[in-house]
Structures are given as C-alpha cells and as structure tokens.
Amino acid sequence: MLKSSKRVVMLGDCQSFYASVEKAEHPQYKDRPMVVAGDPERRSGIVLAACPIAKSKGITTAERLGEAVAKCPDLVVIKPRMQRYIDVSMLITDIYKSYTDLVEPYSIDEQFLDVTGSMHLFADTPEEMAQIIQAHVQAATGVYTRFGIAETKILAKTACDNYAKKNSSGIYTLTKEMLPETLWKRPVSDMFMSGSRMTRHFNVMGLPTIGSVAQTPLGKLKQMMRRKFGKNSDIQAEMYWRIANGIDDSPVRPGTHQVAPKSVGHMMTLPFDYREFDHILTPLLEL
Ligand SMILES: [Mg+2]
C-alpha cells in the first residue's frame, strides 16, 4: 500500500478498447470471437482491435483480416467507427472526473488520474478506489479497465503495462520500495521509452536489465552514452536513469492530450489509405 504522504496516481487502461465498445453495443456477439477491421467485405483489411476471445485464438492487432479469418472461421468482423470510440473515451473521462478533477487523457484508451486529494471521499485504499472506478466504467460502458497505481505517472504506467494487465483483478500497486524485487529484474526492453534501438544499445553497453540502468551512477551512465551518442546525449541519459529509478515529478495535467515523444512509437493502424481531409482528421485527433 502507498504511504499516506505520497501521491496516489493511477493509469486507467481500457482492454481491447474498440472491440469492447462494439461488444457492448452488439450483445448478440458477447461470447463470439470478434475483431474490428477495415472493410470487412475485403480480406485485405487490417485488424485494428481483437477481443480477448479472438486473441485467445491467436489473432493479433495489425494482422491481415484474411489471415485472421483463416485462424478462426467463425470470426465476427465489425467495421470501425472512430467517432464512436472517441465519444466513449470522453464518456470514460467524465466518469473518472466524478472521482477527481485531475484526469489527463494520454491516448484514446489510457488516462492518468491523480486521486491523492479525493480518495478519502470514496475508499479506504487506492486499490478499493480503483475497484469502484473499474465497476463504474464497466456498468456504464461495458468496457473493462485495468489500473496501475503508484506515486508517479511513469510508475503507474509501468504498473499497468507490466502487472495490472496480467493479473486477475486488473489492479496493481507498484511502490518505489518494490522496484528492486520487481521492475529492476526485468529486461531493459520492458522499460518505458526504451524502443528496440535503445534496448540494443543498452545491451551493448552491458546494461541488460532495468535494474542495471538504475544502479549505474548517473555520471557514469552519461559517460557511457556520450561514447555512443556524443555529449548531447546527457539529457537522454538522465531521462532513462530517472525512468529506471521511478523518479518522475510531472503532475497529472487535466485536459491535456500529451503528445508522446517519437520513441514511444505512437501509431495507429488505419483501415485504408486515407485521402480525404475528413477521413484523416479523426485518426489525427486521436493521435
Ligand atoms: Mg488498452
């Protein structure tokens, strides 16, 4: 449990978001494998989202619809409705805002909540608070949410991606004290902001785990990175060192749609080549 003097930050993530919205609105498909995919009439479309049942049959996001149907002949294929997903995302923001005014949308299906000041109104513990919000979103939208809980945004995101998404309650608290026994043991590829290129560099530098980055003194890490990237890499070195150590003072900023740095790989698979401005606008706004 987090100590009372610390901030209580949550990252709420929607499971299989587009597919979950469609399932909620098509209850007849509740127990069927379903994907949201561009142009269901043609096999050349791309899978944008797969429900958990479809995923259990080996279907993955961004694969070709024809391949998905081959794996699972009774697959239900639904055409994407971006505007509807944006509306539901905003409805979920409103639900979060009934628990705290500090809600920051991070992507269409992920939002940060700072509940430090309001938790006592709703629950005794952060985990209980997350359960209440999870049940509220489920009842209102049919979407299942997972919550990473921590003192900082980066640790909340880490708690969600690496732990909450994989446990049965969908809720996980990660404290700084737990880092050596949990996150630090993981490969550096699991570190927030470490893409495949940076992961390779860390491995070459002899830093294969998140803990090995965290425990390298900052000055030494800067030197090691300068040898590879020149002296302009000091800022990058400090950023990775802070991430590995769970150091992050950035506040949850209500109303901001944070533009993720390039290396996070913020992308969206589109159902077809967009040529009209109106078509392009919706996914652009989403990103
Ligand atoms: Mg998600």
Side-chain angles (χ1 to χ4, degrees), residues 213-233:
V213 176
Q215 290 178 294
T216 302
L218 178 57
K220 184 163 178 231
L221 185 65
K222 282 182 180 171
Q223 276 176 15
M224 291 163 80
M225 283 189 52
R226 276 184 190 192
R227 262 177 248 141
K228 272 219 145 38
F229 304 106
K231 68 175 175 200
N232 289 334
S233 65

Side-chain angles (χ1 to χ4, degrees), residues 24-260:
E25 294 183 17
H26 299 90
Q28 69 272 31
Y29 299 140
K30 186 173 169 285
D31 300 317
R32 300 271 308 274
M34 176 202 273
V35 295
V36 174
D39 200 354
E41 309 304 315
R42 291 187 309 156
R43 294 287 154 115
S44 59
I46 294 283
V47 172
L48 299 174
C51 78
I53 302 172
K55 281 181 184 161
S56 76
K57 307 209 179 248
I59 294 171
T60 55
T61 303
E63 88 175 313
R64 290 202 173 277
L65 186 55
E67 287 163 35
V69 173
K71 283 179 192 165
C72 181
D74 62 336
L75 189 65
V76 176
V77 183
I78 302 267
K79 213 173 167 168
R81 296 180 298 152
M82 293 297 171
Q83 188 56 55
R84 180 72 195 134
Y85 310 144
I86 291 172
D87 291 344
V88 174
S89 177
M90 283 161 61
L91 175 63
I92 292 172
T93 307
D94 286 341
I95 292 170
Y96 290 161
K97 280 186 181 163
S98 68
Y99 295 93
T100 170
D101 49 0
L102 298 175
V103 178
E104 177 180 338
Y106 181 69
S107 71
I108 191 163
D109 74 332
E110 295 185 20
Q111 312 194 33
F112 287 108
L113 298 80
D114 185 331
V115 300
T116 314
S118 60
M119 193 185 82
H120 69 282
L121 299 171
F122 301 97
D124 293 325
T125 64
E127 295 77 16
E128 190 193 338
M129 176 99 165
Q131 268 170 26
I132 292 168
I133 302 173
Q134 187 183 51
H136 189 163
V137 174
Q138 176 93 51
T141 67
V143 174
Y144 179 61
T145 46
R146 286 79 62 93
F147 290 88
I149 305 169
E151 295 163 37
T152 69
K153 284 159 74 175
I154 283 178
L155 284 184
K157 167 91 177 134
T158 300
C160 188
D161 287 349
N162 291 303
Y163 301 103
K165 285 182 182 178
K166 292 165 191 166
N167 74 17
S168 57
S169 69
I171 296 167
Y172 190 89
T173 300
L174 184 62
T175 65
K176 275 190 189 166
E177 293 73 25
M178 290 159 70
L179 292 183
E181 284 307 309
T182 55
L183 193 65
W184 284 6
K185 294 195 188 298
R186 289 184 167 258
V188 77
S189 55
D190 283 355
M191 185 163 76
F192 182 62
M193 300 281 284
S194 181
S196 54
R197 180 177 147 267
M198 205 50 222
T199 294
R200 228 168 21 244
H201 286 304
F202 278 129
N203 277 300
V204 171
M205 286 188 274
L207 303 172
T209 62
I210 299 177
S212 61
V213 176
Q215 290 178 294
T216 302
L218 178 57
K220 184 163 178 231
L221 185 65
K222 282 182 180 171
Q223 276 176 15
M224 291 163 80
M225 283 189 52
R226 276 184 190 192
R227 262 177 248 141
K228 272 219 145 38
F229 304 106
K231 68 175 175 200
N232 289 334
S233 65
D234 281 10
I235 291 173
Q236 247 191 317
E238 181 158 353
M239 178 192 78
Y240 287 116
W241 186 83
R242 290 171 68 102
I243 289 172
N245 281 290
I247 301 167
D248 166 29
D249 318 316
S250 65
V252 173
R253 294 183 196 86
T256 56
H257 217 103
Q258 194 168 311
V259 177

